[in-house]
Short mmCIF file of all heavy atoms in Angstrom, two decimals:
data_model
loop_
_atom_site.label_atom_id
_atom_site.label_comp_id
_atom_site.label_asym_id
_atom_site.label_seq_id
_atom_site.Cartn_x
_atom_site.Cartn_y
_atom_site.Cartn_z
N ARG A 1383 -13.64 -1.48 -10.60
CA ARG A 1383 -14.67 -2.34 -10.57
C ARG A 1383 -14.47 -3.57 -11.63
O ARG A 1383 -14.73 -4.59 -11.20
CB ARG A 1383 -15.91 -1.63 -10.83
CG ARG A 1383 -17.30 -2.47 -10.89
CD ARG A 1383 -18.48 -1.66 -11.34
NE ARG A 1383 -19.65 -2.56 -11.40
CZ ARG A 1383 -20.74 -2.31 -10.66
NH1 ARG A 1383 -20.71 -1.33 -9.68
NH2 ARG A 1383 -21.83 -3.11 -10.60
N GLU A 1387 -14.24 -7.42 -10.55
CA GLU A 1387 -15.29 -8.31 -11.17
C GLU A 1387 -14.51 -9.51 -12.01
O GLU A 1387 -15.00 -10.61 -11.90
CB GLU A 1387 -16.10 -7.58 -12.15
CG GLU A 1387 -17.31 -8.45 -12.60
CD GLU A 1387 -18.53 -7.56 -13.19
OE1 GLU A 1387 -18.17 -6.50 -13.76
OE2 GLU A 1387 -19.60 -7.96 -12.98
N ILE A 1390 -13.43 -11.94 -9.15
CA ILE A 1390 -14.51 -12.65 -8.71
C ILE A 1390 -14.99 -13.78 -9.67
O ILE A 1390 -15.19 -14.89 -9.37
CB ILE A 1390 -15.78 -11.73 -8.36
CG1 ILE A 1390 -15.36 -10.81 -7.16
CG2 ILE A 1390 -16.91 -12.62 -7.98
CD1 ILE A 1390 -16.37 -9.64 -7.03
N GLN A 1394 -14.89 -17.80 -9.14
CA GLN A 1394 -16.15 -18.64 -9.14
C GLN A 1394 -16.20 -19.68 -10.34
O GLN A 1394 -16.74 -20.64 -10.11
CB GLN A 1394 -17.34 -17.75 -9.28
CG GLN A 1394 -17.48 -16.83 -7.86
CD GLN A 1394 -18.72 -16.00 -8.07
OE1 GLN A 1394 -19.23 -15.63 -9.17
NE2 GLN A 1394 -19.39 -15.65 -6.98
N VAL A 1400 -16.43 -16.86 -2.72
CA VAL A 1400 -15.62 -15.66 -2.67
C VAL A 1400 -16.12 -14.78 -1.50
O VAL A 1400 -17.38 -14.73 -1.30
CB VAL A 1400 -15.81 -14.75 -3.95
CG1 VAL A 1400 -15.23 -13.40 -3.95
CG2 VAL A 1400 -15.25 -15.62 -5.20
N LEU A 1402 -15.55 -10.94 -0.66
CA LEU A 1402 -15.08 -9.58 -1.02
C LEU A 1402 -14.93 -8.69 0.20
O LEU A 1402 -15.94 -8.44 0.88
CB LEU A 1402 -16.01 -9.03 -2.03
CG LEU A 1402 -15.64 -7.68 -2.70
CD1 LEU A 1402 -14.33 -7.89 -3.46
CD2 LEU A 1402 -16.70 -7.22 -3.66
N GLU A 1420 -17.33 2.85 -2.43
CA GLU A 1420 -17.97 2.08 -1.42
C GLU A 1420 -18.98 1.22 -2.16
O GLU A 1420 -19.15 -0.03 -1.89
CB GLU A 1420 -18.44 2.76 -0.26
CG GLU A 1420 -19.04 1.84 0.68
CD GLU A 1420 -19.53 2.73 1.96
OE1 GLU A 1420 -19.23 3.96 2.08
OE2 GLU A 1420 -20.16 2.16 2.91
N ARG A 1421 -19.66 1.68 -3.06
CA ARG A 1421 -20.87 1.09 -3.79
C ARG A 1421 -20.37 -0.01 -4.73
O ARG A 1421 -21.04 -1.00 -4.80
CB ARG A 1421 -21.64 2.15 -4.48
CG ARG A 1421 -22.94 1.64 -5.10
CD ARG A 1421 -23.84 2.83 -5.60
NE ARG A 1421 -23.11 3.64 -6.64
CZ ARG A 1421 -22.88 4.88 -6.32
NH1 ARG A 1421 -23.07 5.49 -5.22
NH2 ARG A 1421 -22.32 5.62 -7.27
N ASN A 1422 -19.20 0.17 -5.20
CA ASN A 1422 -18.62 -0.86 -6.08
C ASN A 1422 -18.61 -2.22 -5.39
O ASN A 1422 -19.07 -3.21 -5.96
CB ASN A 1422 -17.24 -0.55 -6.53
CG ASN A 1422 -17.09 0.26 -7.69
OD1 ASN A 1422 -18.05 0.44 -8.47
ND2 ASN A 1422 -15.87 0.76 -8.01
N TYR A 1423 -18.22 -2.19 -4.14
CA TYR A 1423 -18.07 -3.57 -3.45
C TYR A 1423 -19.53 -4.16 -3.16
O TYR A 1423 -19.67 -5.43 -3.47
CB TYR A 1423 -17.42 -3.27 -2.05
CG TYR A 1423 -15.90 -2.99 -2.10
CD1 TYR A 1423 -15.58 -1.59 -2.20
CD2 TYR A 1423 -14.92 -3.93 -2.46
CE1 TYR A 1423 -14.18 -1.30 -2.24
CE2 TYR A 1423 -13.60 -3.54 -2.64
CZ TYR A 1423 -13.23 -2.18 -2.65
OH TYR A 1423 -11.98 -1.83 -2.69
N ALA A 1424 -20.43 -3.25 -2.82
CA ALA A 1424 -21.74 -3.82 -2.44
C ALA A 1424 -22.36 -4.42 -3.65
O ALA A 1424 -23.04 -5.42 -3.76
CB ALA A 1424 -22.55 -2.69 -1.70
N GLU A 1425 -22.30 -3.55 -4.80
CA GLU A 1425 -23.04 -4.01 -6.08
C GLU A 1425 -22.43 -5.26 -6.65
O GLU A 1425 -22.99 -6.17 -7.10
CB GLU A 1425 -23.00 -2.91 -7.00
CG GLU A 1425 -23.95 -1.71 -6.59
CD GLU A 1425 -23.84 -0.52 -7.48
OE1 GLU A 1425 -23.14 -0.50 -8.53
OE2 GLU A 1425 -24.66 0.32 -7.46
N LEU A 1426 -21.10 -5.25 -6.64
CA LEU A 1426 -20.37 -6.50 -7.10
C LEU A 1426 -20.72 -7.86 -6.28
O LEU A 1426 -20.89 -8.85 -6.88
CB LEU A 1426 -18.87 -6.39 -7.21
CG LEU A 1426 -18.26 -5.54 -8.26
CD1 LEU A 1426 -16.87 -5.20 -7.99
CD2 LEU A 1426 -18.56 -6.03 -9.64
N ALA A 1427 -20.75 -7.58 -5.02
CA ALA A 1427 -21.13 -8.88 -4.10
C ALA A 1427 -22.57 -9.28 -4.39
O ALA A 1427 -22.67 -10.46 -4.59
CB ALA A 1427 -20.88 -8.42 -2.68
N GLN A 1428 -23.44 -8.34 -4.60
CA GLN A 1428 -24.80 -8.79 -4.79
C GLN A 1428 -24.98 -9.34 -6.10
O GLN A 1428 -25.59 -10.28 -6.32
CB GLN A 1428 -25.76 -7.45 -4.77
CG GLN A 1428 -27.17 -7.80 -5.00
CD GLN A 1428 -27.94 -6.50 -4.73
OE1 GLN A 1428 -27.59 -5.40 -4.84
NE2 GLN A 1428 -29.33 -6.73 -4.49
N ARG A 1429 -24.23 -8.80 -7.25
CA ARG A 1429 -24.37 -9.24 -8.51
C ARG A 1429 -23.89 -10.69 -8.66
O ARG A 1429 -24.45 -11.61 -9.32
CB ARG A 1429 -23.63 -8.34 -9.46
CG ARG A 1429 -23.68 -8.79 -11.07
CD ARG A 1429 -23.01 -7.86 -11.97
NE ARG A 1429 -23.09 -8.35 -13.34
CZ ARG A 1429 -22.62 -7.63 -14.28
NH1 ARG A 1429 -22.09 -6.40 -14.03
NH2 ARG A 1429 -22.72 -8.08 -15.48
N HIS A 1430 -22.80 -10.97 -8.00
CA HIS A 1430 -22.16 -12.25 -8.21
C HIS A 1430 -22.43 -13.26 -7.07
O HIS A 1430 -21.74 -14.40 -7.03
CB HIS A 1430 -20.61 -12.12 -8.27
CG HIS A 1430 -20.24 -11.49 -9.58
ND1 HIS A 1430 -20.19 -12.06 -10.83
CD2 HIS A 1430 -19.98 -10.02 -9.87
CE1 HIS A 1430 -19.84 -11.22 -11.69
NE2 HIS A 1430 -19.69 -10.05 -11.21
N GLY A 1431 -23.25 -12.92 -6.07
CA GLY A 1431 -23.63 -13.77 -4.98
C GLY A 1431 -22.36 -14.13 -4.02
O GLY A 1431 -22.25 -15.26 -3.46
N ALA A 1432 -21.52 -13.02 -3.91
CA ALA A 1432 -20.29 -13.22 -3.01
C ALA A 1432 -20.58 -12.71 -1.71
O ALA A 1432 -21.49 -11.86 -1.47
CB ALA A 1432 -19.12 -12.65 -3.60
N ALA A 1433 -19.93 -13.29 -0.74
CA ALA A 1433 -19.99 -12.91 0.67
C ALA A 1433 -19.24 -11.38 0.64
O ALA A 1433 -18.38 -11.23 -0.08
CB ALA A 1433 -19.35 -13.79 1.67
N LEU A 1434 -19.82 -10.66 1.60
CA LEU A 1434 -19.21 -9.10 1.58
C LEU A 1434 -18.89 -8.75 3.00
O LEU A 1434 -19.73 -8.88 3.95
CB LEU A 1434 -20.27 -8.22 1.00
CG LEU A 1434 -19.80 -6.75 1.14
CD1 LEU A 1434 -18.60 -6.47 0.24
CD2 LEU A 1434 -20.99 -5.89 0.64
N LEU A 1435 -17.70 -8.25 3.20
CA LEU A 1435 -17.41 -7.52 4.47
C LEU A 1435 -17.20 -6.08 4.04
O LEU A 1435 -16.16 -5.82 3.34
CB LEU A 1435 -16.11 -8.03 5.18
CG LEU A 1435 -15.77 -7.55 6.53
CD1 LEU A 1435 -16.76 -8.15 7.52
CD2 LEU A 1435 -14.28 -7.74 6.79
#
Side-chain angles (χ1 to χ4, degrees):
R1383 180 185 178 114
E1387 189 160 35
I1390 294 170
Q1394 291 181 336
V1400 174
L1402 183 61
E1420 185 175 353
R1421 189 165 57 246
N1422 269 351
Y1423 294 99
E1425 291 179 352
L1426 285 173
Q1428 182 175 21
R1429 178 176 181 178
H1430 293 278
L1434 173 68
L1435 189 76

